[in-house]
Amino acid sequence: MSQQTMHKSMDIRLMDRNYKVNCPPGQEIALQQAADRLNTKLETIRGMTKLSNPEQIAVMAALNLCHEFAQQEKQQQQRIADLEEKLQLLQATLEQAMADQRPGR
């Protein structure tokens, strides 16, 4: 089966323009949600800036989304580090409790 037959063609709308994109089967809702999020970002940037060139607006949206992603990734890494620290403390506490329960103490 070719790559083309494995994907479904979908229409999405970004800044009042229609785009036809390929989408893997079963990912239509996720693609539409991503397109909606991108369109919201594009429209926000268009409304908050003096930019009118769609390419410039798209670049600014991409930069904003990448920055948001990097911030979320950093927060996620911090949460993981915090959880790992808590797990190590819990493991040490359990090991100490088990050592205190050994016969001969």
Side-chain angles (χ1 to χ4, degrees):
M1 191 177 285
S2 75
Q3 189 76 350
Q4 285 287 52
T5 59
M6 292 177 46
H7 289 82
K8 177 182 178 184
S9 182
M10 271 185 68
D11 291 316
I12 60 170
R13 189 164 182 82
L14 301 170
M15 288 196 317
D16 304 322
R17 294 179 71 182
N18 291 320
Y19 296 89
K20 188 171 284 295
V21 296
N22 287 331
C23 180
Q27 294 298 309
E28 297 85 2
I29 292 172
L31 175 61
Q32 188 59 58
Q33 289 172 338
D36 292 344
R37 181 175 181 198
L38 176 57
N39 192 54
T40 298
K41 183 62 78 176
L42 292 165
E43 294 295 346
T44 299
I45 290 171
R46 180 162 62 176
M48 292 177 59
T49 67
K50 295 180 182 181
L51 297 175
S52 60
N53 180 320
E55 185 177 299
Q56 290 176 321
I57 295 169
V59 168
M60 291 303 298
L63 286 171
N64 276 275
L65 289 169
C66 286
H67 176 71
E68 290 172 14
F69 178 76
Q71 292 300 314
Q72 289 174 353
E73 192 174 53
K74 184 178 178 181
Q75 291 171 353
Q76 183 69 15
Q77 288 172 349
Q78 184 60 52
R79 284 191 291 267
I80 289 170
D82 291 346
L83 285 173
E84 286 174 345
E85 185 178 322
K86 288 177 183 178
L87 282 172
Q88 288 174 353
L89 179 60
L90 180 59
Q91 183 177 1
T93 302
L94 286 172
E95 288 172 359
Q96 183 61 48
M98 290 173 63
D100 292 346
Q101 297 296 317
R102 286 192 190 127
R105 286 205 129 213

